[in-house]
């Protein structure tokens, strides 16, 4: 009978130890669940940031396209103005050969030519300014892309950590099932 009491006390002690171990496993499980939720929230925040950066990148690309269109228009106008300047110069020479006595008309054509050249120089300045802005936009796009790549890298790291935690949780669940199974057999 005394052996039976010792065995019973031993079984009760073992059951208490298993309960304590089960409580510890449950606490660890709860902690890991909270960590997973925090990681998922952090991943969602990074996803939002990546989406925001992608929207900004799209806006920058749209601005770049608009700037390129304006640059193309400016170049077209510049070519047209340059062509007009060439035509004015030819007209001036023809008039000079035909009418040496018509100095007033010649002066007017020269003034027109100066205005066209000034316009061409202004267009050159506009072209240079547009090119400078294009470089700035391209640099901003590159920095935005780098930030997006960094965010994606961090998201991948977080996903790997989440996978590791999930694996740990599965291992803990298996251990809990084994402990429960052993407990049931006792």
């Amino acid at each position: 009978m005394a052996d039976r009491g010792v065995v019973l006390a031993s079984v009760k002690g073992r059951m208490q130890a298993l309960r304590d171990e089960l409580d510890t496993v449950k606490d660890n499980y709860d902690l890991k669940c909270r960590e997973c939720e925090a990681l998922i929230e952090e991943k969602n925040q990074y996803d939002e940031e990546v989406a925001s950066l992608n929207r900004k990148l799209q806006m920058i690309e749209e601005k770049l396209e608009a700037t390129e269109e304006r640059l193309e228009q400016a170049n077209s106008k510049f070519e047209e103005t340059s062509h007009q300047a060439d035509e004015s110069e030819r007209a001036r020479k023809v008039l000079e050969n035909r009418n040496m006595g018509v100095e007033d008309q010649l002066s007017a054509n020269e003034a027109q030519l100066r205005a066209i050249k000034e316009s061409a120089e202004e267009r050159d300045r506009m072209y240079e300014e547009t090119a400078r802005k294009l470089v700035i936009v391209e640099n901003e796009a590159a920095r935005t892309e780098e930030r997006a790549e960094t965010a994606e890298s961090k998201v991948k790291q977080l996903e790997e950590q989440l996978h590791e935690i999930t694996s740990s949780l599965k291992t803990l669940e298996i251990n809990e099932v084994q402990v429960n199974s052993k407990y049931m057999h006792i």
Side-chain angles (χ1 to χ4, degrees), residues 29-83:
Y29 175 77
D30 290 342
L31 176 66
K32 293 300 180 182
C33 284
R34 286 191 298 275
E35 287 177 0
C36 284
E37 289 173 0
L39 288 173
I40 289 170
E41 180 63 29
E42 189 175 349
K43 179 195 175 290
N44 289 339
Q45 289 174 351
Y46 283 122
D47 287 345
E48 290 175 9
E49 185 178 337
V50 167
S52 173
L53 291 173
N54 283 336
R55 286 190 297 274
K56 285 181 182 178
L57 179 60
Q58 184 178 7
M59 288 173 51
I60 288 171
E61 287 173 347
E62 289 171 359
K63 287 180 182 177
L64 176 62
E65 287 177 13
T67 301
E68 287 174 346
E69 287 177 12
R70 287 194 306 266
L71 177 62
E72 189 175 309
Q73 290 172 355
N75 283 337
S76 175
K77 288 180 181 179
F78 174 76
E79 288 176 14
E80 186 178 312
T81 302
S82 178
H83 180 70

Side-chain angles (χ1 to χ4, degrees), residues 111-126:
Q112 183 182 8
L113 178 61
R114 279 192 300 277
I116 290 171
K117 284 183 180 179
E118 289 174 4
S119 176
E121 290 172 359
E122 179 63 30
R123 299 221 186 267
D124 281 345
R125 285 192 293 278
M126 288 172 55

Side-chain angles (χ1 to χ4, degrees), residues 14 74 88 95 106 114 116 126 152:
R14 173 125 181 155
S88 293
L95 288 175
L106 181 60
R114 279 192 300 277
I116 290 171
M126 288 172 55
E152 287 176 0

